[in-house]
């Protein structure tokens, strides 16, 4: 069976900025994969190239054995992309939001309502999206990305800005998603998050992948104490500048 993701030589330039500079990587099916890097390292652009949201200048990405560019509607149904909370439809309740996403995929309302329950938002179903807390809005955006039961899920900094309890709740949810057989790819600024959740991480800087491996193996290979040290040693930078 093909990989969940195979990327080969991806490059993307914005004016003078080489945002992604020859990224090749492989993600196995069922894997929980993290992309780490300092601000501006090229994580988000890499995700967008993988997802087929942007056209690479060079290189190719295959998702589930299919090229992600040019976009293929049949492939899009099989992947889930978490959009920022600001991408919600205005003034709809949580239930209306997720039912709207579900309708785009021809998914039944009852399934959409069930997904709200899965992310722990059943009690907030009648709350308008702008009245949800930060953590609740993040969970709603993840529920919307999952409503069509994608095999491969992309999450860009899903827990940024959440309080510690909300982060832990979201970690539980992400583990559940992954243990149900889905492949999960996320970017994060939090080393503890990467250590806790990810089977493997790719450390990026200046548009390149510097090193890939299970967090614990990277710590051993580089003979340091923590993933944070790995990050510092590879990039020469603190992960939050
Ligand atoms: N649409 C765009 N137009 C111009 N430059 C861009 C665009 N998107 C990203 N860049 C630039 O490309 C580089 C990589 O950005 P990217 O957002 O991919 O990094 P990142 O690792 O996700 O950063 P962060 O952790 O801050 O989100 C940065 O220098 C950024 O300013």
């Amino acid at each position: 069976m093909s990989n969940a993701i195979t990327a080969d030589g991806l490059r993307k330039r914005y004016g003078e900025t080489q945002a992604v500079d020859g990224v090749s990587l492989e993600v196995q099916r069922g894997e929980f994969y993290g992309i780490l890097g300092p601000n501006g390292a090229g994580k988000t652009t890499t995700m967008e190239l993988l997802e087929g949201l942007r056209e690479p200048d060079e290189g190719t990405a295959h998702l589930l054995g299919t090229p992600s560019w040019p976009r293929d509607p049949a492939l899009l149904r099989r992947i889930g992309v978490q959009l920022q909370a600001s991408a919600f439809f205005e003034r709809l309740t949580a239930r209306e939001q997720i039912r709207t996403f579900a309708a785009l995929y021809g998914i039944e309302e009852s399934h959409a309502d069930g997904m709200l329950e899965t992310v722990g938002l059943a009690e907030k179903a009648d709350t308008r999206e702008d009245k949800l807390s930060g953590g609740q809005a993040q969970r709603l955006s993840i529920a919307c990305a999952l409503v069509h039961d994608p095999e491969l899920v992309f999450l860009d900094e899903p827990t940024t800005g959440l309080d510690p309890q909300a982060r832990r709740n979201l970690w539980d949810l992400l583990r559940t998603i992954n243990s149900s057989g889905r492949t999960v790819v996320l970017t994060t600024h939090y080393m503890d998050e990467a250590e806790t959740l990810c089977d493997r991480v790719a450390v990026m800087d200046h548009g390149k992948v510097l090193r890939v491996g299970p967090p614990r193996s990277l710590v051993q290979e580089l003979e340091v104490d923590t993933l944070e040290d790995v990050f510092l040693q590879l990039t020469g930078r603190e992960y939050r500048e």
Side-chain angles (χ1 to χ4, degrees):
M1 196 159 64
S2 58
N3 287 331
I5 302 176
T6 306
D8 192 14
L10 290 175
R11 284 182 213 280
K12 185 75 183 178
R13 172 182 283 275
Y14 297 114
E16 294 294 295
T17 307
Q18 188 69 49
V20 175
D21 193 9
V23 165
S24 301
L25 51 82
E26 292 189 351
V27 178
Q28 312 298 317
R29 295 206 190 209
E31 201 170 19
F32 204 127
Y33 193 91
I35 301 179
L36 313 182
N39 290 326
K43 304 180 295 293
T44 299
T45 308
T46 298
M47 292 271 271
E48 290 170 348
L49 296 176
L50 297 175
E51 292 158 358
L53 293 184
R54 288 188 191 277
E55 182 178 11
D57 297 334
E58 284 176 50
T60 56
H62 284 75
L63 307 182
L64 308 167
T66 304
S68 62
W69 191 273
R71 285 186 206 117
D72 174 348
L75 176 63
L76 291 177
R77 293 189 69 90
R78 300 173 66 195
I79 70 172
V81 175
Q82 180 198 5
L83 298 172
Q84 297 305 314
S86 56
F88 288 142
F89 301 102
E90 266 179 60
R91 283 200 282 277
L92 297 187
T93 65
R95 184 190 288 113
E96 289 166 341
Q97 293 286 346
I98 193 155
R99 284 186 175 183
T100 304
F101 274 92
L104 297 175
Y105 290 102
I107 304 284
E108 283 181 21
E109 289 186 343
S110 60
H111 183 77
D113 295 348
M115 190 55 72
L116 271 191
E117 240 167 77
T118 303
V119 300
L121 282 182
E123 282 174 20
K124 296 288 170 187
D126 295 318
T127 303
R128 263 173 46 173
E129 46 81 24
D130 53 337
K131 306 284 186 230
L132 296 174
S133 72
Q136 290 162 352
Q138 292 280 55
R139 277 187 278 152
L140 179 59
S141 71
I142 291 175
C144 292
L146 294 174
V147 74
H148 55 300
D149 282 329
E151 293 159 59
L152 169 58
V153 185
F154 292 94
L155 308 161
D156 198 359
E157 298 187 19
T159 67
T160 293
L162 300 189
D163 65 54
Q165 186 56 48
R167 281 179 73 213
R168 285 197 162 65
N169 292 343
L170 205 52
W171 287 358
D172 288 341
L173 170 64
L174 298 181
R175 277 200 202 95
T176 308
I177 292 167
N178 180 240
S179 59
S180 68
R182 294 184 183 91
T183 309
V184 181
V185 180
L186 61 69
T187 67
T188 183
H189 280 245
Y190 300 109
M191 295 301 122
D192 56 342
E193 180 161 297
E195 233 158 0
T196 306
L197 294 176
C198 296
D199 298 315
R200 286 192 303 153
V201 296
V203 181
M204 283 192 75
D205 202 7
H206 303 299
K208 294 180 195 294
V209 173
L210 304 177
R211 191 77 81 118
V212 182
R216 216 174 278 175
S217 308
L218 293 182
V219 167
Q220 281 170 2
E221 277 170 32
L222 296 180
E223 298 180 351
V224 290
D225 295 326
T226 64
L227 190 59
E228 212 166 311
D229 297 332
V230 168
F231 190 96
L232 194 60
Q233 196 170 115
L234 289 175
T235 67
R237 301 204 252 166
E238 297 284 353
Y239 56 93
R240 265 169 289 175
E241 290 184 329

